[in-house]
Amino acid sequence: MAQLDIKVLIKQVPNTAEVKIDPHTGTLMREGMESIINPDDLHAIEAALRLRDAHGGKVTAISMGPPQAVDVLREALGMGADECFLLTDRAFAGADTLATSYTLGKCIQRLGRFDLVIAGHQAIDGDTAQIGPQVAEFLDVPQVIRAITLEIKDNELLAERTAEECTEVVKCPLPALVTVTKEANDPRYLFIPLLMAAFEAEAPVKVWGSKDIGADEASTGLKGSPTKVQRTFTPSHKKKIEKLTGAPADMARTLVDRLRERRVL
Amino acid sequence: MPLFEDTPAEHAFRLALRKFIAKEFTPYREEWDRNRAVPREAWLKLGRQGYLCPYLPKEYGGSNLNFRYVVIMLQELTAGDAMCIGVTNHNDNSTRYIYHHGTEELKRRLLPKCITGEAVACFAMTEPGAGSDAAAITTKAVRHGDHYILNGSKCFITNGMFADIMIVMCRVESPDVDPKKNYSLLCVEGESIKHIRRHQFEKIGRHGQDTAEIFFENCPVPVGNLLGREGEGFKCTMQALGRERLELCIKAQVYADECLKEALAYAKVREAFGKPIGNFEHIAFELAEMATEVEIGNTFLHACVEEFIRGEDITKRVSMAKAWIPEMCNRVAYKAVQIFGGYGYMAEYRIARLYQDVRAMPIFGGTTEIMNLVIARQLGFKPIF
């Protein structure tokens, strides 16, 4: 078959492992918070690079976000991606998953032929896991969600995907879209010469706006987002402590009763 | 505590390296200490990611990275407890002699292996009878046809036990060179390595780091492996000395910072007589003094690094830094152990290992006493000794 053309969708997210909550306001303390590449997306890049290395071809990383999201694209180049596109435009701001999927989908269409789109299963900030499936719908290609192995044979994709209580083996024609989970692979480290080259003026990072991808601005950003956020709040977890006293056997009985009342047992 | 604000590229490099060290080196430190060796695979891993000799120009396979990246590597390796792998010696000392003073043939043949980790390099100057008094070295090379025949011994050589390439300071017996100024550098590698014997030292700390005694017995070295010219050995090393001392100060500064962090964290959680020990005035004041010393060291070191990057002569100030920062680092480590009490003396505690490791800092790369001598001379004195 011809050389593989693989697009990888990646996202810059706050490092939620380091997130601190303001104890007074209950809101996220963003100051000084580090931004990282979404963890699942590292597995998407790795999966793409392995297929490219096995079959030949090209890996293109695409991210939508503010200008500083270029950092995660440079990381993709440091891992070995061939080129990158940053979709950044005021018109893209405030997008929900539908508007984001539309924007990413338009970019992929604009880039022409592709064999495979790979995305991380979900992002650690929004946790929706909707982008992959929605982009597949937009592009009108088959989708394999939560893949853990990927193989290409005779112009077809063979993949194992995890379902609720089993693993499915699926086969689908190309082009297709796949989302991968962290079980898919062990992402490689950054290769310093490539990472350093990603910061040079001639690095293959292109920045595209709404016009470059031919987007209908009614479908991007806040305008294209049917999701309306009513309110955000930190749920309160009230703690009630009951101290058991008495003989050990009585305390054990009371404890079992309490656990049954709460349906723990 | 940053020495300087990273550029975006430097920051990306730092994070990539930090992640690599945290996964590949830090968890193995105790095992490598026990084994008294770092496996070659660790070197090959560094090489695969491009961390070996990244200063080299792209034409040799490097990334052409400047001194600020050297600083980042020193900081991250030290903070990540990965100093047992002698990578900074390989990158910033030994291989640079080949790059700066080797023939083109030697560079083309050896540097690619130094980049992949297939070859590890060491620099051998100190001898049993010549430490601070470097001019007293006796290792001798006599020319026979197209080879030098090398005899003598070297000691305290970092990477010496497993090195494939040795940059050896010796005295060349030649009618063309004044016998008082015949110090020369030879690059011992390949077949020549078969003519040496080595012995690993048992140290009080830095157990994983390979530190060796090396014996050369009629070791033939091709004349093409002479670095620079006969009699130019000291000239070559003097250029590198200020840089080496600056690098040692960077390590010592990170060690001091790490000891302080350990002590601060412990003083906040360890309770005695019903309250965290950091709330006892004596401990609080000790920590205040430690933190102040660490800040002062950082500020002075920052100035030295900036001056070095600007290409200024740092001889006096780097000697001051080398005389003060490693001593400060030991004061901080000592106090940190004291704050930990009995636990600070237990080898399983990081602070105990740091305490052992930092003791060498005021010794190698020029002792505190020799640094004071250099400073005194720079001030116009001629101390008698």
Side-chain angles (χ1 to χ4, degrees):
Chain A
M1 67 178 287
Q3 301 228 310
L4 279 177
D5 190 302
I6 309 173
K7 314 292 187 212
V8 185
L9 306 179
I10 62 179
K11 183 184 187 185
Q12 188 181 47
V13 293
N15 188 356
T16 51
E18 314 233 316
V19 162
K20 292 190 180 101
I21 306 286
D22 186 320
H24 303 295
T25 62
T27 54
L28 219 59
M29 291 166 70
R30 287 188 178 273
E31 203 170 310
M33 196 193 294
E34 188 193 11
S35 291
I36 56 167
I37 188 165
N38 179 49
D40 275 3
D41 301 353
L42 285 171
H43 299 277
I45 299 169
E46 180 62 35
L49 294 174
R50 288 186 189 186
L51 286 173
R52 179 201 65 186
D53 294 345
H55 300 275
K58 189 169 83 169
V59 171
T60 305
I62 303 169
S63 186
M64 186 187 99
Q68 61 267 31
V70 72
D71 288 348
V72 296
L73 292 171
R74 285 180 174 140
E75 211 170 318
L77 290 174
M79 285 176 75
D82 299 285
E83 60 172 2
C84 293
F85 288 85
L86 174 65
L87 308 178
T88 192
D89 197 308
R90 283 190 174 279
F92 299 157
D96 67 0
T97 63
L98 185 69
T100 304
S101 303
Y102 169 80
T103 309
L104 292 168
K106 286 297 279 185
C107 174
I108 294 168
Q109 280 182 339
R110 168 78 176 73
L111 289 171
R113 190 191 82 85
F114 68 92
D115 298 295
L116 200 57
V117 178
I118 308 182
H121 173 61
Q122 66 191 73
I124 56 171
D125 55 350
D127 268 339
T128 67
Q130 291 168 355
I131 296 292
Q134 286 177 171
V135 172
E137 283 299 309
F138 179 84
L139 296 171
D140 197 21
V141 295
Q143 54 180 285
V144 180
I145 305 305
R146 297 184 61 89
I148 52 170
T149 67
L150 292 178
E151 204 182 322
I152 287 176
K153 221 172 178 182
D154 305 327
N155 211 27
E156 279 186 322
L157 173 73
L158 270 173
E160 281 182 290
R161 62 176 294 267
T162 54
E164 290 277 318
E165 288 176 342
C166 64
T167 301
E168 295 175 355
V169 179
V170 295
K171 190 158 89 168
C172 83
L174 296 176
L177 182 142
V178 181
T179 70
V180 295
T181 61
K182 64 179 189 304
E183 290 79 19
N185 51 45
D186 191 9
R188 67 194 63 189
Y189 294 115
L190 299 176
F191 182 49
I192 294 307
L194 287 178
L195 180 66
M196 294 296 101
F199 284 89
E200 288 171 5
E202 59 272 23
V205 182
K206 292 190 186 73
V207 181
W208 275 5
S210 180
K211 286 193 177 66
D212 298 305
I213 57 171
D216 170 6
E217 293 200 358
S219 300
T220 63
L222 203 55
K223 280 188 205 162
S225 301
T227 311
K228 302 291 174 224
V229 178
Q230 294 290 318
R231 184 165 73 97
T232 57
F233 63 97
T234 308
S236 64
H237 298 284
K238 282 187 186 151
K239 285 179 190 165
K240 198 178 150 194
I241 297 169
E242 182 185 352
K243 206 166 184 177
L244 303 180
T245 52
D250 294 338
M251 285 196 289
R253 251 190 302 279
T254 316
L255 180 63
V256 170
D257 289 345
R258 295 286 181 274
L259 292 173
R260 283 201 174 124
E261 282 164 23
R262 287 165 180 75
R263 297 173 192 275
V264 177
L265 291 178
Chain B
M1 199 186 314
L3 259 185
F4 48 68
E5 194 173 334
D6 291 348
T7 63
E10 287 162 2
H11 187 61
F13 178 91
R14 186 188 292 281
L15 293 184
L17 177 62
R18 188 176 293 171
K19 192 172 172 182
F20 177 79
I21 291 171
K23 202 167 166 193
E24 300 293 341
F25 292 167
T26 313
Y28 302 102
R29 148 133 199 188
E30 286 178 40
E31 182 187 328
W32 295 347
D33 271 0
R34 274 197 306 277
N35 295 344
R36 301 293 193 258
V38 174
R40 181 55 65 96
E41 181 56 26
W43 287 90
L44 296 173
K45 281 180 180 172
L46 278 165
R48 276 200 287 277
Q49 302 316 131
Y51 293 117
L52 294 182
C53 309
Y55 69 88
L56 284 171
K58 290 178 183 174
E59 57 176 305
Y60 292 103
S63 294
N64 203 23
L65 300 187
N66 62 33
F67 185 73
R68 289 169 65 100
Y69 289 89
V70 172
V71 176
I72 294 170
M73 283 200 75
L74 288 164
Q75 290 178 321
E76 294 301 325
L77 285 162
T78 309
D81 291 335
M83 261 308 155
C84 52
I85 181 158
V87 58
T88 56
N89 185 298
H90 173 88
N91 279 1
D92 305 316
N93 191 5
S94 314
T95 59
R96 284 179 194 261
Y97 285 105
I98 303 171
Y99 174 58
H100 290 297
H101 307 291
T103 62
E104 196 56 32
E105 187 277 328
L106 207 60
K107 288 196 257 186
R108 296 272 171 204
R109 188 159 58 78
L110 299 183
L111 292 177
K113 291 187 216 166
C114 295
I115 289 173
T116 58
E118 286 166 76
V120 170
C122 73
F123 178 69
M125 176 131 153
T126 303
E127 293 183 3
S132 294
D133 182 11
I137 64 167
T138 57
T139 298
K140 191 171 74 176
V142 182
R143 179 137 180 199
H144 280 280
D146 54 1
H147 280 78
Y148 291 102
I149 303 300
L150 192 61
N151 279 287
S153 69
K154 296 284 175 184
C155 67
F156 311 145
I157 308 305
T158 301
N159 292 346
M161 202 64 201
F162 301 104
D164 309 279
I165 298 171
M166 298 179 171
I167 313 303
V168 181
M169 177 70 88
C170 60
R171 307 184 75 143
V172 168
E173 282 191 3
S174 163
D176 306 332
V177 189
D178 176 354
K180 285 182 188 151
K181 297 177 181 170
N182 60 357
Y183 303 99
S184 307
L185 288 176
L186 288 183
C187 178
V188 179
E189 47 91 28
E191 285 296 306
S192 307
I193 288 283
K194 292 177 184 166
H195 296 263
I196 64 166
R197 283 191 298 118
R198 338 184 193 204
H199 160 252
Q200 178 144 336
F201 284 107
E202 186 67 18
K203 308 185 289 294
I204 62 168
R206 300 166 166 267
H207 296 302
Q209 186 180 293
D210 145 18
T211 308
E213 189 167 18
I214 303 168
F215 305 91
F216 302 95
E217 290 162 352
N218 293 324
C219 171
V221 183
V223 290
N225 283 29
L226 175 72
L227 302 178
R229 283 187 293 201
E230 288 180 352
E232 282 188 352
F234 269 130
K235 192 175 137 197
C236 298
T237 55
M238 288 305 148
Q239 289 162 355
L241 230 49
R243 177 197 175 93
E244 188 194 356
R245 287 171 183 165
L246 185 57
E247 290 173 8
L248 287 168
C249 290
I250 295 163
K251 285 187 220 175
Q253 182 64 35
V254 178
Y255 275 132
D257 202 23
E258 291 300 312
C259 291
L260 173 65
K261 277 187 204 158
E262 290 285 330
L264 284 173
Y266 190 73
K268 284 174 185 168
V269 297
R270 168 68 180 180
E271 292 194 0
F273 307 105
K275 59 179 177 179
I277 58 169
N279 287 338
F280 288 100
E281 189 178 78
H282 174 75
I283 304 279
F285 282 15
E286 288 282 46
L287 286 164
E289 285 178 13
M290 289 156 73
T292 305
E293 289 215 288
V294 171
E295 284 279 352
I296 291 169
N298 200 61
T299 305
F300 186 51
L301 184 57
H302 169 81
C304 292
V305 167
E306 292 294 318
E307 286 162 20
F308 179 76
I309 289 171
R310 285 199 299 268
E312 295 170 17
D313 178 11
I314 58 165
T315 308
K316 185 169 82 179
R317 280 158 69 88
V318 80
S319 303
M320 290 172 166
K322 177 69 178 67
W324 195 82
I325 294 173
E327 296 285 351
M328 175 275 287
C329 164
N330 273 271
R331 284 194 294 277
V332 172
Y334 179 89
K335 287 181 179 181
V337 168
Q338 198 67 15
I339 288 168
F340 270 76
Y343 293 107
Y345 197 62
M346 297 300 114
E348 66 196 86
Y349 276 72
R350 182 169 182 246
I351 192 62
R353 295 203 309 267
L354 288 168
Y355 179 72
Q356 291 174 320
D357 289 355
V358 302
R359 187 58 189 90
M361 300 306 294
I363 298 172
F364 53 43
T367 60
T368 303
E369 293 71 20
I370 291 294
M371 292 304 100
N372 284 331
L373 184 67
V374 176
I375 300 163
R377 282 178 181 157
Q378 290 273 324
L379 294 173
F381 297 107
K382 291 179 182 168
I384 300 161
F385 64 138

